[in-house]
Short mmCIF file of all heavy atoms in Angstrom, two decimals:
data_model
loop_
_atom_site.label_atom_id
_atom_site.label_comp_id
_atom_site.label_asym_id
_atom_site.label_seq_id
_atom_site.Cartn_x
_atom_site.Cartn_y
_atom_site.Cartn_z
N GLN A 1 31.49 10.61 45.03
CA GLN A 1 31.64 9.18 45.27
C GLN A 1 32.07 8.92 46.71
O GLN A 1 31.68 7.94 47.33
CB GLN A 1 32.68 8.59 44.31
CG GLN A 1 32.28 8.62 42.85
CD GLN A 1 33.40 8.17 41.94
OE1 GLN A 1 34.56 8.48 42.18
NE2 GLN A 1 33.06 7.44 40.88
N LYS A 2 32.92 9.80 47.22
CA LYS A 2 33.44 9.65 48.59
C LYS A 2 32.49 10.31 49.58
O LYS A 2 31.83 11.29 49.26
CB LYS A 2 34.82 10.30 48.71
CG LYS A 2 35.88 9.74 47.78
CD LYS A 2 36.35 8.36 48.19
CE LYS A 2 37.11 8.38 49.50
NZ LYS A 2 37.66 7.06 49.85
N HIS A 3 32.47 9.77 50.77
CA HIS A 3 31.58 10.35 51.78
C HIS A 3 32.28 10.60 53.11
O HIS A 3 31.63 10.98 54.09
CB HIS A 3 30.35 9.46 52.00
CG HIS A 3 30.67 8.10 52.56
ND1 HIS A 3 30.89 7.87 53.89
CD2 HIS A 3 30.82 6.91 51.93
CE1 HIS A 3 31.15 6.59 54.07
NE2 HIS A 3 31.12 5.99 52.89
N GLU A 4 33.59 10.37 53.16
CA GLU A 4 34.30 10.60 54.41
C GLU A 4 35.76 10.95 54.16
O GLU A 4 36.30 10.71 53.08
CB GLU A 4 34.23 9.36 55.31
CG GLU A 4 34.82 8.11 54.67
CD GLU A 4 34.63 6.86 55.52
OE1 GLU A 4 33.95 6.94 56.57
OE2 GLU A 4 35.16 5.80 55.12
N ASN A 5 36.37 11.57 55.16
CA ASN A 5 37.81 11.89 55.15
C ASN A 5 38.23 12.83 54.02
O ASN A 5 39.34 12.74 53.52
CB ASN A 5 38.65 10.62 55.09
CG ASN A 5 38.43 9.71 56.27
OD1 ASN A 5 38.14 10.19 57.37
ND2 ASN A 5 38.54 8.41 56.06
N LEU A 6 37.35 13.72 53.60
CA LEU A 6 37.71 14.70 52.59
C LEU A 6 38.12 16.01 53.26
O LEU A 6 37.55 16.41 54.27
CB LEU A 6 36.53 14.97 51.65
CG LEU A 6 36.08 13.80 50.77
CD1 LEU A 6 34.91 14.22 49.91
CD2 LEU A 6 37.22 13.29 49.90
N LYS A 7 39.12 16.66 52.69
CA LYS A 7 39.55 17.94 53.24
C LYS A 7 39.98 18.87 52.11
O LYS A 7 40.46 18.44 51.06
CB LYS A 7 40.71 17.76 54.22
CG LYS A 7 42.01 17.29 53.59
CD LYS A 7 43.14 17.31 54.60
CE LYS A 7 44.46 16.87 53.95
NZ LYS A 7 45.59 16.93 54.88
N THR A 8 39.80 20.17 52.33
CA THR A 8 40.27 21.17 51.38
C THR A 8 41.76 21.37 51.59
O THR A 8 42.20 21.70 52.69
CB THR A 8 39.55 22.51 51.59
OG1 THR A 8 38.14 22.32 51.45
CG2 THR A 8 40.02 23.54 50.58
N ILE A 9 42.54 21.18 50.54
CA ILE A 9 43.99 21.40 50.65
C ILE A 9 44.43 22.65 49.90
O ILE A 9 45.58 23.08 50.03
CB ILE A 9 44.79 20.18 50.15
CG1 ILE A 9 44.50 19.90 48.66
CG2 ILE A 9 44.49 18.94 50.99
CD1 ILE A 9 45.43 18.87 48.05
N PHE A 10 43.51 23.24 49.13
CA PHE A 10 43.87 24.44 48.37
C PHE A 10 42.63 25.27 48.13
O PHE A 10 41.58 24.77 47.72
CB PHE A 10 44.49 24.04 47.02
CG PHE A 10 44.79 25.20 46.11
CD1 PHE A 10 45.95 25.95 46.26
CD2 PHE A 10 43.90 25.54 45.08
CE1 PHE A 10 46.21 27.03 45.42
CE2 PHE A 10 44.16 26.60 44.23
CZ PHE A 10 45.32 27.35 44.40
N ASN A 11 42.75 26.57 48.39
CA ASN A 11 41.69 27.53 48.12
C ASN A 11 42.35 28.72 47.45
O ASN A 11 43.12 29.45 48.07
CB ASN A 11 41.00 27.94 49.42
CG ASN A 11 39.84 28.89 49.20
OD1 ASN A 11 39.67 29.44 48.11
ND2 ASN A 11 39.03 29.08 50.23
N SER A 12 42.09 28.94 46.15
CA SER A 12 42.86 29.90 45.36
C SER A 12 42.70 31.34 45.83
O SER A 12 43.56 32.18 45.55
CB SER A 12 42.47 29.80 43.88
OG SER A 12 41.15 30.26 43.68
N THR A 13 41.60 31.65 46.53
CA THR A 13 41.41 33.03 46.97
C THR A 13 41.64 33.17 48.48
O THR A 13 41.12 34.11 49.10
CB THR A 13 40.00 33.53 46.59
OG1 THR A 13 39.01 32.70 47.18
CG2 THR A 13 39.84 33.56 45.09
N TRP A 14 42.42 32.28 49.03
CA TRP A 14 42.85 32.41 50.43
C TRP A 14 43.58 33.73 50.60
O TRP A 14 44.44 34.09 49.79
CB TRP A 14 43.73 31.23 50.81
CG TRP A 14 44.38 31.32 52.15
CD1 TRP A 14 43.78 31.57 53.35
CD2 TRP A 14 45.77 31.14 52.44
NE1 TRP A 14 44.69 31.55 54.38
CE2 TRP A 14 45.93 31.29 53.84
CE3 TRP A 14 46.89 30.86 51.66
CZ2 TRP A 14 47.17 31.18 54.48
CZ3 TRP A 14 48.12 30.74 52.28
CH2 TRP A 14 48.26 30.90 53.67
N GLN A 15 43.29 34.43 51.67
CA GLN A 15 43.88 35.75 51.88
C GLN A 15 45.40 35.69 52.00
O GLN A 15 46.09 36.67 51.71
CB GLN A 15 43.26 36.40 53.12
CG GLN A 15 43.49 37.91 53.18
CD GLN A 15 42.66 38.56 54.26
OE1 GLN A 15 42.29 37.91 55.24
NE2 GLN A 15 42.35 39.83 54.09
N GLY A 16 45.92 34.55 52.42
CA GLY A 16 47.37 34.39 52.54
C GLY A 16 48.09 34.48 51.21
O GLY A 16 49.30 34.76 51.17
N TYR A 17 47.37 34.27 50.12
CA TYR A 17 47.96 34.40 48.79
C TYR A 17 47.98 35.85 48.30
O TYR A 17 48.79 36.21 47.46
CB TYR A 17 47.21 33.53 47.77
CG TYR A 17 47.35 32.04 47.99
CD1 TYR A 17 46.27 31.18 47.78
CD2 TYR A 17 48.55 31.48 48.43
CE1 TYR A 17 46.39 29.81 47.96
CE2 TYR A 17 48.67 30.11 48.62
CZ TYR A 17 47.59 29.28 48.40
OH TYR A 17 47.71 27.93 48.60
N ASP A 18 47.05 36.66 48.80
CA ASP A 18 47.00 38.07 48.42
C ASP A 18 46.16 38.81 49.46
O ASP A 18 44.92 38.81 49.38
CB ASP A 18 46.40 38.22 47.02
CG ASP A 18 46.55 39.63 46.45
OD1 ASP A 18 46.35 40.59 47.21
OD2 ASP A 18 46.86 39.74 45.25
N SER A 19 46.82 39.42 50.40
CA SER A 19 46.11 40.07 51.50
C SER A 19 45.36 41.32 51.05
O SER A 19 44.43 41.78 51.72
CB SER A 19 47.09 40.44 52.62
OG SER A 19 48.11 41.31 52.14
N GLU A 20 45.75 41.88 49.91
CA GLU A 20 45.14 43.11 49.43
C GLU A 20 43.83 42.86 48.70
O GLU A 20 42.83 43.56 48.93
CB GLU A 20 46.11 43.86 48.52
CG GLU A 20 45.59 45.18 47.99
CD GLU A 20 46.61 45.91 47.13
OE1 GLU A 20 47.83 45.64 47.27
OE2 GLU A 20 46.18 46.73 46.30
N ASP A 21 43.80 41.89 47.83
CA ASP A 21 42.64 41.69 46.96
C ASP A 21 41.81 40.45 47.26
O ASP A 21 40.69 40.31 46.77
CB ASP A 21 43.08 41.64 45.49
CG ASP A 21 43.43 43.01 44.94
OD1 ASP A 21 42.82 44.00 45.39
OD2 ASP A 21 44.31 43.09 44.06
N PHE A 22 42.36 39.49 48.02
CA PHE A 22 41.63 38.26 48.28
C PHE A 22 40.99 38.30 49.67
O PHE A 22 41.59 38.81 50.62
CB PHE A 22 42.55 37.05 48.20
CG PHE A 22 43.07 36.77 46.80
CD1 PHE A 22 43.95 35.71 46.58
CD2 PHE A 22 42.70 37.54 45.71
CE1 PHE A 22 44.45 35.45 45.30
CE2 PHE A 22 43.19 37.29 44.44
CZ PHE A 22 44.07 36.25 44.23
N GLU A 23 39.80 37.76 49.74
CA GLU A 23 39.11 37.62 51.02
C GLU A 23 38.71 36.16 51.16
O GLU A 23 37.92 35.64 50.37
CB GLU A 23 37.87 38.51 51.07
CG GLU A 23 37.15 38.47 52.40
CD GLU A 23 35.96 39.39 52.43
OE1 GLU A 23 35.83 40.23 51.52
OE2 GLU A 23 35.15 39.27 53.37
N THR A 24 39.27 35.49 52.14
CA THR A 24 39.06 34.06 52.28
C THR A 24 37.58 33.74 52.44
O THR A 24 36.91 34.26 53.34
CB THR A 24 39.84 33.50 53.47
OG1 THR A 24 41.22 33.82 53.33
CG2 THR A 24 39.65 31.98 53.57
N ILE A 25 37.08 32.91 51.56
CA ILE A 25 35.75 32.34 51.71
C ILE A 25 35.95 30.89 52.16
O ILE A 25 36.44 30.06 51.39
CB ILE A 25 34.96 32.37 50.38
CG1 ILE A 25 34.86 33.80 49.84
CG2 ILE A 25 33.59 31.73 50.55
CD1 ILE A 25 34.02 34.73 50.67
N GLU A 26 35.65 30.61 53.41
CA GLU A 26 35.83 29.25 53.93
C GLU A 26 34.99 28.27 53.11
O GLU A 26 33.82 28.55 52.80
CB GLU A 26 35.44 29.17 55.40
CG GLU A 26 36.30 30.03 56.32
CD GLU A 26 37.75 29.57 56.38
OE1 GLU A 26 38.02 28.41 56.02
OE2 GLU A 26 38.61 30.37 56.78
N THR A 27 35.58 27.15 52.77
CA THR A 27 34.87 26.20 51.92
C THR A 27 33.76 25.47 52.66
O THR A 27 32.78 25.05 52.05
CB THR A 27 35.84 25.17 51.33
OG1 THR A 27 36.55 24.53 52.39
CG2 THR A 27 36.82 25.83 50.39
N ASN A 28 33.91 25.29 53.99
CA ASN A 28 32.85 24.66 54.79
C ASN A 28 32.36 23.36 54.18
O ASN A 28 31.15 23.16 53.94
CB ASN A 28 31.66 25.63 54.98
CG ASN A 28 32.03 26.87 55.76
OD1 ASN A 28 32.78 26.79 56.75
ND2 ASN A 28 31.52 28.03 55.35
N LEU A 29 33.30 22.49 53.89
CA LEU A 29 32.95 21.19 53.30
C LEU A 29 32.02 20.40 54.20
O LEU A 29 32.24 20.31 55.41
CB LEU A 29 34.21 20.36 53.07
CG LEU A 29 35.11 20.68 51.88
CD1 LEU A 29 36.25 19.67 51.84
CD2 LEU A 29 34.36 20.68 50.58
N SER A 30 31.02 19.81 53.60
CA SER A 30 30.19 18.85 54.35
C SER A 30 29.68 17.80 53.37
O SER A 30 29.46 18.08 52.19
CB SER A 30 29.02 19.56 55.04
OG SER A 30 28.14 20.13 54.08
N ILE A 31 29.52 16.59 53.87
CA ILE A 31 29.06 15.47 53.06
C ILE A 31 27.66 15.07 53.51
O ILE A 31 27.42 14.85 54.70
CB ILE A 31 30.01 14.27 53.18
CG1 ILE A 31 31.36 14.59 52.57
CG2 ILE A 31 29.40 13.04 52.50
CD1 ILE A 31 31.37 14.69 51.07
N LEU A 32 26.75 15.00 52.57
CA LEU A 32 25.41 14.51 52.84
C LEU A 32 25.37 13.05 52.37
O LEU A 32 25.21 12.76 51.18
CB LEU A 32 24.38 15.36 52.10
CG LEU A 32 24.45 16.87 52.40
CD1 LEU A 32 23.43 17.63 51.55
CD2 LEU A 32 24.23 17.14 53.87
N LYS A 33 25.62 12.17 53.28
CA LYS A 33 25.76 10.75 52.96
C LYS A 33 24.46 10.16 52.44
O LYS A 33 23.37 10.48 52.95
CB LYS A 33 26.23 9.99 54.20
CG LYS A 33 26.56 8.52 53.94
CD LYS A 33 27.06 7.86 55.21
CE LYS A 33 27.33 6.38 54.96
NZ LYS A 33 27.77 5.70 56.21
N ASP A 34 24.59 9.34 51.40
CA ASP A 34 23.46 8.63 50.80
C ASP A 34 22.40 9.57 50.22
O ASP A 34 21.27 9.18 50.00
CB ASP A 34 22.80 7.69 51.82
CG ASP A 34 23.75 6.63 52.32
OD1 ASP A 34 24.62 6.20 51.55
OD2 ASP A 34 23.65 6.25 53.51
N GLU A 35 22.80 10.81 49.96
CA GLU A 35 21.90 11.74 49.30
C GLU A 35 22.36 11.90 47.85
O GLU A 35 23.35 12.54 47.57
CB GLU A 35 21.89 13.09 50.01
CG GLU A 35 20.88 14.06 49.41
CD GLU A 35 20.74 15.33 50.23
OE1 GLU A 35 20.60 15.25 51.46
OE2 GLU A 35 20.80 16.42 49.61
N ASN A 36 21.64 11.27 46.95
CA ASN A 36 22.04 11.22 45.54
C ASN A 36 22.05 12.61 44.92
O ASN A 36 21.14 13.41 45.14
CB ASN A 36 21.08 10.31 44.76
CG ASN A 36 21.51 10.14 43.31
OD1 ASN A 36 21.31 11.03 42.50
ND2 ASN A 36 22.09 9.01 43.00
N TYR A 37 23.15 12.87 44.15
CA TYR A 37 23.24 14.16 43.44
C TYR A 37 24.15 13.96 42.24
O TYR A 37 25.18 13.28 42.33
CB TYR A 37 23.82 15.25 44.37
CG TYR A 37 23.49 16.66 43.94
CD1 TYR A 37 22.38 17.31 44.43
CD2 TYR A 37 24.29 17.33 43.01
CE1 TYR A 37 22.05 18.60 44.05
CE2 TYR A 37 23.97 18.61 42.61
CZ TYR A 37 22.85 19.25 43.14
OH TYR A 37 22.53 20.53 42.73
N ASP A 38 23.78 14.53 41.11
CA ASP A 38 24.58 14.38 39.87
C ASP A 38 24.81 12.90 39.55
O ASP A 38 25.85 12.52 39.00
CB ASP A 38 25.94 15.07 39.99
CG ASP A 38 25.84 16.58 39.91
OD1 ASP A 38 24.83 17.07 39.40
OD2 ASP A 38 26.80 17.25 40.36
N ASN A 39 23.86 12.05 39.94
CA ASN A 39 23.97 10.59 39.72
C ASN A 39 25.11 9.96 40.50
O ASN A 39 25.62 8.90 40.10
CB ASN A 39 24.12 10.28 38.22
CG ASN A 39 22.89 10.66 37.43
OD1 ASN A 39 21.75 10.42 37.87
ND2 ASN A 39 23.09 11.25 36.26
N PHE A 40 25.51 10.60 41.58
CA PHE A 40 26.47 10.00 42.51
C PHE A 40 25.75 9.67 43.82
O PHE A 40 24.71 10.26 44.15
CB PHE A 40 27.63 10.96 42.77
CG PHE A 40 28.54 11.14 41.59
CD1 PHE A 40 28.38 12.22 40.74
CD2 PHE A 40 29.55 10.22 41.33
CE1 PHE A 40 29.22 12.39 39.64
CE2 PHE A 40 30.39 10.38 40.23
CZ PHE A 40 30.22 11.47 39.39
N GLU A 41 26.33 8.75 44.57
CA GLU A 41 25.66 8.26 45.79
C GLU A 41 25.50 9.32 46.86
O GLU A 41 24.53 9.32 47.62
CB GLU A 41 26.47 7.10 46.40
CG GLU A 41 26.42 5.81 45.60
CD GLU A 41 27.20 4.71 46.31
OE1 GLU A 41 26.86 4.39 47.46
OE2 GLU A 41 28.18 4.23 45.72
#
């Protein structure tokens, strides 16, 4: 529904939570404005 000002505030597999077993996968958020998906704008 939102198309701006979104940010990731939590990533459960951030390496800072477990340096031994977790490897941070950056979320790389991006918004495709006005591109309908899952019946959302």
Side-chain angles (χ1 to χ4, degrees):
Q1 294 173 322
K2 301 287 293 184
H3 64 82
E4 59 185 5
N5 299 329
L6 295 179
K7 67 173 182 178
T8 302
I9 62 170
F10 175 82
N11 183 347
S12 68
T13 59
W14 173 51
Q15 197 169 26
Y17 293 142
D18 191 318
S19 59
E20 181 178 337
D21 284 329
F22 293 178
E23 183 178 348
T24 304
I25 303 293
E26 297 295 341
T27 55
N28 296 320
L29 283 183
S30 64
I31 294 289
L32 305 177
K33 186 178 178 182
D34 299 327
E35 184 173 312
N36 184 283
Y37 201 93
D38 286 340
N39 295 318
F40 290 96
E41 289 182 59

